[in-house]
Amino acid sequence: MAGGLDVSMDTWNFVYACLVSLWLHRIYIYSVTAFGISLWIAVQFFTTKAKRKDEHSNGNLVSSEVVEDKLVNGYATLQPKEVYVAGVKIFYGSQTGTAKRFAKDLAEAVTCFNLPVEVISMGDYDPDDCLAEETTSKNICVFLVATYTDGKPTESAAWFCKWLEETSNDFRFGKTYLKGLRYAVFGLGNSVYVDHYNTVGRNIDRWLWMLSARRIMTRAEGDCNVVQSKHGSIEADFEAWKSKFLNCLQALCRGEKKPCSGKCKKGKCKSQGKQSKESSNPERGAPEFENAETEELFETTSEEEADAEEAGGPDSVVDVEDLGKIMSHMKKAKRERELEDGDAGMSLLGETSGRKEAGERREMITAALRDALTKQGYKLIGSHSGVKLCRWTKSMLRGRGGCYKHTFYGIESHRCMEATPSLACANKCVFCWRHHTNPVGTEWRWKMDQPEMILREALENHRNMIKEFKGVTGVRAERLEEAMTAKHCALSLVGEPIMYPDINRFLRLLHQRGISSFLVTNAQFPEEIRNLEPVTQLYVSVDASTKESLKRIDRPLFKDFWQRFLDSLKALSEKQQRTVYRLTLVKAWNVDELKAYADLVSLGKPDFIEVKFKINGHWCTWIDYERFQELVRAHVDSGGTQTFTATDYTARTPHWALFGSNQRGFDPLDVRYQRRGKVRDISGC
């Protein structure tokens, strides 16, 4: 019994001694334990990171691969990874073949990512049909474009560039027309031609940006001038850019696109990662493909665009919302010039008076106005006239139908010239789709160009714009040839054509060339309407039916605007040729005044309200243009004594243009085309 007790005591003493030893050395034990836990955490972290890196580098670039397991209803299902890049489309515009060669080289390099790649000549691509589809395709669009003579695009890229420029400045497409399209631009040029170096690449970059397309990397420029080339040759410039592009594409395929830091001003990105040594040291080459991991990936805007906005230069883009500020600056500058002129006049009173007596007048088109209208696609003529190609002219050249005047009156849209002999107007309408870029006035107080010069240059500019469609995809050769000779002139481009003092002489010149005339007036010049010589068809814009709504909508400059409006409609009723009311109805502005509109119709008696154009049970809204030319020649030869009326040159309306027809007003000789997923544009000239 005593022996058993001794064994128990010895065991207890041993355990007690161990516990005391552990307690006395507890600090060391805690330290070792903490070190072990830290070491285990570090090993787990680096092991997991290495595994993830291996997964990304082992060909998981095609985003349709199966990469993830999930448990659904007790079964393991395979889930596809999100598609970040569906493919790459490489567009090139080349004159000597360099851009084409670069495009094929880039396509070959892209195939290593197992991505679909397509090389497309800009001359074989129709941006009007297809480019908007890239906003949802998840493709990356690459543009390799050369700058040709005098800063112009190559022949194959001319139509693409023209369409893109017009679209970026056309409010009907909107600023977000290409939102979602991702792109990169590499320009080819020669710095020997300083004034036009890489102009085309810069323009395409800017126009795409204006339509809300997103850059995946900054635009690059290749230089054929080996002395100034950053990498010694244009081939080396391309190789350096290609390495960056492939790295960028690889990151996009993994979905690793990093956002901008947000420290941006006026579209110029200030992200820290973009301030690379390369940008500050032009002599240093681009980093290699493998070492380019550090490059930030984000959308940015071109430096030229940001600088132009800050400087307010002629190429700056002006939002509609900013027009008020612009107009204020212009008015302020005008007042300053008038004060300067006044000071000079005080010291040179006699000379100034002599000038006024001599009737010296300033030009209507100022430098700022010329820049604004040119940007909108106008071809300006002399000091107060202009011409522009209508979108329906382009449509009919391609056999896709004409404007409403083709359906209603038989006009051939591809042979119609849209022009004006006066950019000035007497109204400042709230719905003006010209953004009030044209001057305003109640009388002609500018220098006046001769009508012969205006018509000659208008036809020449119109033909030159038509020539640009030669070789464009879808354009019908026979219609292109017909379009070279204008048959109709729509004097509805901008401004008030009837303000031009020599408008009757201008109309006679049109008719002498066998060109029909469609003139639009805003009903503020009744005397001019009465004195107007025969016009093929005279339109009056009826924008409101009461004095209050007309003042609110048209914002006329004349104090007696309402009486002028009524007198203009009375003068219209006295015209013997075809007359038309063009009603402009704006929701919440003037659509509730139907009774007042009916009273105005009774006052002006426009032809296309009365049923006199339904003859013997047949509608005769079309125009016999040859008959009109015969009648107007007889009228001129007789000194105005031989008159004629609208019914003398009517033609029977074809069945397809009538209400209720299966064609619904669309010419069966053409092919109706509608953009997929886009709202139809039903606007017209």
Side-chain angles (χ1 to χ4, degrees), residues 50-319:
K51 287 181 178 179
R52 289 178 179 174
K53 187 174 182 180
D54 290 340
E55 288 177 359
H56 287 304
S57 61
N58 285 338
N60 285 345
L61 295 176
V62 182
S63 50
S64 60
E65 289 184 13
V66 176
V67 296
E68 190 175 315
D69 291 348
K70 288 189 178 180
L71 196 63
V72 179
N73 296 328
Y75 295 94
T77 60
L78 301 178
Q79 300 294 330
K81 187 179 178 181
E82 181 183 354
V83 176
Y84 296 109
V85 177
V88 177
K89 290 188 176 182
I90 305 172
F91 300 87
Y92 69 88
S94 181
Q95 193 71 26
T96 62
T98 304
K100 182 178 181 180
R101 176 163 49 87
F102 286 173
K104 292 182 177 180
D105 187 9
L106 181 62
E108 185 177 351
V110 170
T111 54
C112 69
F113 295 142
N114 296 324
L115 287 172
V117 60
E118 187 176 358
V119 177
I120 305 170
S121 170
M122 289 181 170
D124 299 331
Y125 186 82
D126 192 340
D128 195 26
D129 292 350
C130 307
L131 194 58
E133 296 176 3
E134 302 303 334
T135 59
T136 56
S137 66
K138 293 191 177 182
N139 288 326
I140 303 296
C141 296
V142 183
F143 298 91
L144 308 179
V145 287
T147 299
Y148 198 43
T149 308
D150 296 330
K152 297 179 180 179
T154 60
E155 293 180 5
S156 61
W159 163 244
F160 186 99
C161 293
K162 180 178 178 58
W163 177 89
L164 192 60
E165 179 183 14
E166 291 181 351
T167 303
S168 65
N169 291 289
D170 192 336
F171 77 98
R172 291 171 294 185
F173 286 88
K175 295 180 180 180
T176 59
Y177 183 67
L178 294 181
K179 186 176 182 179
L181 184 148
R182 295 178 292 176
Y183 74 96
V185 176
F186 180 82
L188 293 80
N190 193 323
S191 59
V192 172
Y193 306 100
V194 180
D195 295 337
H196 307 297
Y197 176 58
N198 262 309
T199 302
V200 177
R202 296 176 184 180
N203 286 339
I204 287 181
D205 184 32
R206 184 174 72 253
W207 295 330
L208 288 169
W209 175 81
M210 289 169 62
L211 293 168
S212 297
R214 296 181 297 168
R215 299 182 184 91
I216 63 169
M217 59 188 298
T218 306
R219 183 192 70 250
E221 298 175 350
D223 193 350
C224 290
N225 183 6
V226 295
V227 177
Q228 296 294 329
S229 174
K230 184 181 294 186
H231 303 91
S233 67
I234 193 170
E235 287 78 10
D237 292 337
F238 172 72
E239 288 298 326
W241 172 82
K242 184 177 73 172
S243 296
K244 287 184 178 182
F245 173 78
L246 293 175
N247 173 72
C248 179
L249 181 62
Q250 185 182 36
L252 288 172
C253 288
R254 293 196 300 257
E256 291 184 357
K257 178 177 150 310
K258 299 180 181 179
C260 175
S261 67
K263 299 177 181 179
C264 301
K265 182 179 180 182
K266 288 186 179 288
K268 184 179 288 186
C269 193
K270 301 294 184 182
S271 296
Q272 296 296 326
K274 202 63 183 174
Q275 307 300 327
S276 62
K277 294 181 180 179
E278 181 187 359
S279 61
S280 60
N281 183 8
E283 297 299 322
R284 180 181 176 184
E288 293 298 322
F289 172 53
E290 295 82 359
N291 299 325
E293 291 285 345
T294 58
E295 183 178 351
E296 292 282 350
L297 303 176
F298 54 83
E299 289 75 40
T300 181
T301 58
S302 64
E303 291 77 13
E304 293 80 12
E305 192 68 24
D307 293 341
E309 288 179 359
E310 293 174 2
D315 292 332
S316 61
V317 180
V318 180
D319 292 337

Side-chain angles (χ1 to χ4, degrees), residues 32-46:
V32 171
T33 303
F35 176 76
I37 293 173
S38 300
L39 183 62
W40 179 82
I41 292 174
V43 171
Q44 292 295 321
F45 174 77
F46 287 109

Side-chain angles (χ1 to χ4, degrees), residues 453-468:
M453 183 275 290
I454 297 174
L455 181 57
R456 182 178 64 253
E457 293 198 13
L459 291 170
E460 182 179 353
N461 279 287
H462 180 74
R463 280 192 293 267
N464 289 337
M465 288 186 286
I466 293 294
K467 287 179 182 177
E468 295 177 357

Side-chain angles (χ1 to χ4, degrees), residues 475-490:
V475 171
R476 297 183 178 180
E478 70 279 5
R479 290 194 176 177
L480 183 66
E481 184 178 354
E482 291 174 349
M484 297 302 293
T485 304
K487 186 178 179 181
H488 317 283
C489 181

